[in-house]
Amino acid sequence: MNILEKFSLKGKTALVSGVRRGIGLAMAEGLAEAGADIIGVSASLELSGSEAEKKITALGRKFYAYQCDFKDRKSLYQFIATVKKEHGTPDILVNNAGTILRKPAAEHPDEFWDEVIEVNLNSQFIMAREFGKEMVARGYGKIIFTASLLTFQGGINVPGYAASKGAIGQLTMALSNEWAGKGVNINAIAPGYIETDNTAALRADENRNAAILARIPQGRWGKPEDFKGPVVFLASSASDYMNGHIMVVDGGWMGR
């Protein structure tokens, strides 16, 4: 098999959460371009006619749409059971769903903290555990988490988000320690400052926007499309010897 063939995902199925827009949508599109069929899920994903469906099916791949409220444990378990019944365990799991709620730490209410931790951490662990144990049983699988620069840094006014993304980094390594020898690769992608809905407030703040751009060596905000290559790499056999790694895609931010 030559190197380009190692990047092929033909015959594979990938479950991508947070697929409705932004980075999740771009990652799903990249996986489909590499040959994978997509099981897509978001809290508010249209069950028919979504942008994700249009993009994936235009590539000749299958797209299966689901809704799941990731802050609701019952909804999450129902979704997992439905996917297993209708598709079995996917070859690739991209745990990308997430949320962010901003308020200074001294004013950060329990409700903000609980929702962010439930969506960004608890649900991600449950998804990884429930699909991962079957990947382990069959001896193959790829799990990719979406981490963050705040896996490494503290951020401002987002204590819950920073805590959740720091934990995702540790979870990536913890699962790798247990499953790497059983044929399952667990890695994470840590986006830098990307043009998505989550960063709209930062980009609208003239001073913060200027400060952020001044630190990025590439001199621009990232785009969701910048994540197609990294996710295909981690989902493919080209990355078979990578495990427990957090791949930073940030235009050079962490190097400063």
Side-chain angles (χ1 to χ4, degrees):
M1 181 183 293
N2 68 41
I3 187 59
L4 291 181
E5 291 174 330
K6 284 181 174 288
F7 284 88
S8 173
L9 299 177
K10 289 180 180 178
K12 304 294 186 183
T13 299
L15 193 168
V16 182
S17 67
V19 77
R20 186 171 179 267
R21 58 192 179 189
I23 293 172
L25 175 57
M27 290 197 293
E29 187 176 12
L31 294 167
E33 287 172 354
D37 292 326
I38 305 296
I39 301 168
V41 58
S42 289
S44 56
L45 180 66
E46 301 89 343
L47 296 180
S48 179
S50 68
E51 183 178 359
E53 179 184 351
K54 292 173 183 175
K55 286 178 177 288
I56 302 310
T57 56
L59 294 166
R61 309 313 311 163
K62 296 176 182 177
F63 182 78
Y64 307 96
Y66 295 89
Q67 290 182 348
C68 178
D69 181 356
F70 287 95
K71 66 179 181 292
D72 181 275
R73 198 71 63 92
K74 182 179 179 181
S75 175
L76 177 62
Y77 277 110
Q78 288 177 339
F79 164 69
I80 293 169
T82 298
V83 169
K84 287 185 176 183
K85 179 180 179 181
E86 297 182 356
H87 306 283
T89 292
D91 303 287
I92 303 152
L93 171 62
V94 181
N95 266 331
N96 171 72
T99 190
I100 188 167
L101 295 171
R102 302 176 187 276
K103 217 170 190 60
E107 304 164 19
H108 208 79
D110 288 356
E111 309 87 74
F112 277 27
W113 177 273
D114 290 345
E115 180 174 337
V116 171
I117 295 297
E118 189 65 32
V119 173
N120 292 8
L121 179 59
N122 295 346
S123 72
Q124 308 307 303
F125 170 67
I126 291 169
M127 289 265 284
R129 183 190 65 205
E130 293 303 303
F131 289 115
K133 63 187 177 183
E134 296 188 9
M135 291 179 177
V136 167
R138 76 181 178 207
Y140 171 81
K142 301 276 187 173
I143 298 175
I144 303 162
F145 290 99
T146 295
S148 169
L149 292 184
L150 299 196
T151 300
F152 312 99
Q153 302 175 325
I156 300 171
N157 296 332
V158 288
Y161 185 84
S164 71
K165 291 302 183 177
I168 286 294
Q170 294 301 116
L171 180 59
T172 298
M173 292 183 282
L175 295 181
S176 171
N177 288 343
E178 295 191 36
W179 296 347
K182 299 176 181 179
V184 182
N185 296 79
I186 304 95
N187 295 290
I189 297 173
Y193 285 91
I194 313 300
E195 293 178 355
T196 66
D197 291 349
N198 277 357
T199 61
L202 294 177
R203 286 180 285 119
D205 183 325
E206 186 175 341
N207 292 330
R208 286 282 283 139
N209 184 57
I212 288 167
L213 286 174
R215 177 169 167 165
I216 301 173
Q218 281 194 237
R220 69 169 176 88
W221 285 74
K223 300 180 183 299
E225 292 74 23
D226 292 321
F227 294 85
K228 288 184 177 182
V231 77
V232 168
F233 172 59
L234 291 178
S236 73
S237 61
S239 62
D240 278 352
Y241 199 59
M242 286 187 68
N243 238 311
H245 179 66
I246 303 168
M247 180 186 290
V248 180
V249 182
D250 67 347
W253 173 279
M254 289 297 293
R256 292 295 288 268

